[in-house]
């Protein structure tokens, strides 16, 4: 199976972790896609599980409802659901544990969370043994090029005489500067890409300071 990250401009980027996501959903009650903001977690979740109901805790009404009555909120969840930005409601983790313990059917909950979700004790304490965590990183060069790497498979198969790729030369610097976040790939100039990264860093820094 494959899944693509679709940018607003319609560009398709395959996410090679999708096959692991499908495997996890087939035998695990809850799966968490974990990674930095804007790396494509929500896009991957919604495309891989397009038949799931979708709830985001960026929605202030949903956030308030979950915080006010986490037990009732979980009890009313659909049969299969994506819970986006779940780190904003750590109160849900204990309730999800209780719900899973009553019904361990695989693929019930697909969660997404930003990097700090792994620092929440409630996650590790409540969902240990009930959740599989997939770490999603920004786009790899092979995903941008839509070319699944085969070096390791060739090496394990004893095919060590595969032709070597040519040197990247000047394009190496451009690739490093462009990075792997999906959004900057659509920017038409290096200046606009630098602005995106600068604003991304400034925003995260501002958020960090507000929590000191």
């Amino acid at each position: 199976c494959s899944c693509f990250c679709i940018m607003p401009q319609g560009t398709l980027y395959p996410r090679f972790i999708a096959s692991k996501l499908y495997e996890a959903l087939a035998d695990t009650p809850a799966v968490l896609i974990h990674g930095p903001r804007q790396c494509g977690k929500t896009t991957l979740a919604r495309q891989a599980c397009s038949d799931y109901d979708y709830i985001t805790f960026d929605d202030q009404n949903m956030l308030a409802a979950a915080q006010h009555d986490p037990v009732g909120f979980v009890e009313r969840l659909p049969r299969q659901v994506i819970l986006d930005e779940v780190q904003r409601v750590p109160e849900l983790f204990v309730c999800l544990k209780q719900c899973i313990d009553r019904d361990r059917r695989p693929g019930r909950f697909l969660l997404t969370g930003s990097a700090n979700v792994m620092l929440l004790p409630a996650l590790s304490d409540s969902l240990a043994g009930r959740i599989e965590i997939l770490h999603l990183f920004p786009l790899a060069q092979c995903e941008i090029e839509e070319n699944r790497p085969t070096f390791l498979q060739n090496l394990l198969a004893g095919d060590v005489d595969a032709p070597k790729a040519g040197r990247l030369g000047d394009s190496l610097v451009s690739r490093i500067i462009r990075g792997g976040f999906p959004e900057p790939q659509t920017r038409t100039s290096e200046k606009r890409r630098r602005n995106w990264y600068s604003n991304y860093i400034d925003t995260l820094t501002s958020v960090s300071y507000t929590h000191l």
Side-chain angles (χ1 to χ4, degrees):
C1 295
S2 62
C3 191
F4 290 83
C5 172
I6 302 180
M7 297 307 299
Q9 291 79 359
T11 305
L12 294 173
Y13 295 111
R15 301 314 305 258
F16 296 144
I17 199 174
S19 59
K20 294 182 179 179
L21 173 59
Y22 292 124
E23 290 173 357
L25 290 169
D27 60 17
T28 308
V31 179
L32 169 66
I33 303 174
H34 162 248
R37 289 186 176 273
Q38 295 296 308
C39 71
K41 301 184 299 296
T42 302
T43 302
L44 173 61
R46 298 199 72 173
Q47 291 180 350
C49 298
S50 58
D51 56 334
Y52 279 44
D53 287 275
Y54 173 75
I55 294 173
T56 175
F57 295 117
D58 283 338
D59 182 324
Q60 292 301 311
N61 292 326
M62 287 295 179
L63 178 62
Q67 291 173 332
H68 176 71
D69 181 15
V71 174
F73 186 88
V74 170
E75 291 294 333
R76 292 189 294 271
L77 286 174
R79 185 174 183 273
Q80 292 180 308
V81 62
I82 299 168
L83 299 177
D84 198 11
E85 300 295 352
V86 73
Q87 79 280 350
R88 303 191 67 186
V89 200
E91 302 94 324
L92 285 187
F93 295 141
V94 171
C95 303
L96 289 172
K97 169 188 178 296
Q98 295 170 347
C99 186
I100 290 170
D101 285 347
R102 291 195 300 269
D103 180 0
R104 297 188 69 93
R105 178 169 26 90
R108 297 187 63 194
F109 303 108
L110 177 54
L111 318 177
T112 80
S114 301
N116 58 358
V117 73
M118 299 304 294
L119 301 178
L120 298 174
L123 174 64
S124 57
D125 292 346
S126 301
L127 294 179
R130 302 168 180 86
I131 191 169
E132 181 160 341
I133 299 171
L134 301 178
H135 301 280
L136 184 67
F137 298 97
L139 292 164
Q141 288 299 309
C142 56
E143 291 174 322
I144 294 173
E145 298 293 332
E146 299 185 33
N147 182 22
R148 185 180 290 273
T150 59
F151 172 77
L152 184 58
Q153 293 90 323
N154 292 340
L155 185 63
L156 293 174
D159 185 10
V160 294
D161 295 326
K164 297 180 179 179
R167 292 181 179 274
L168 293 176
D170 293 339
S171 68
L172 176 60
V173 175
S174 176
R175 288 171 183 248
I176 292 173
I177 294 174
R178 186 182 294 257
F181 282 89
E183 177 64 26
Q185 309 304 317
T186 67
R187 300 289 174 99
T188 57
S189 70
E190 294 292 346
K191 178 181 178 181
R192 294 300 301 150
R193 286 189 282 272
R194 287 197 300 270
N195 285 348
W196 188 91
Y197 280 109
S198 178
N199 282 285
Y200 182 86
I201 293 170
D202 288 345
T203 303
L204 292 184
T205 302
S206 299
V207 171
S208 298
Y209 279 128
T210 62
H211 287 82
L212 290 177

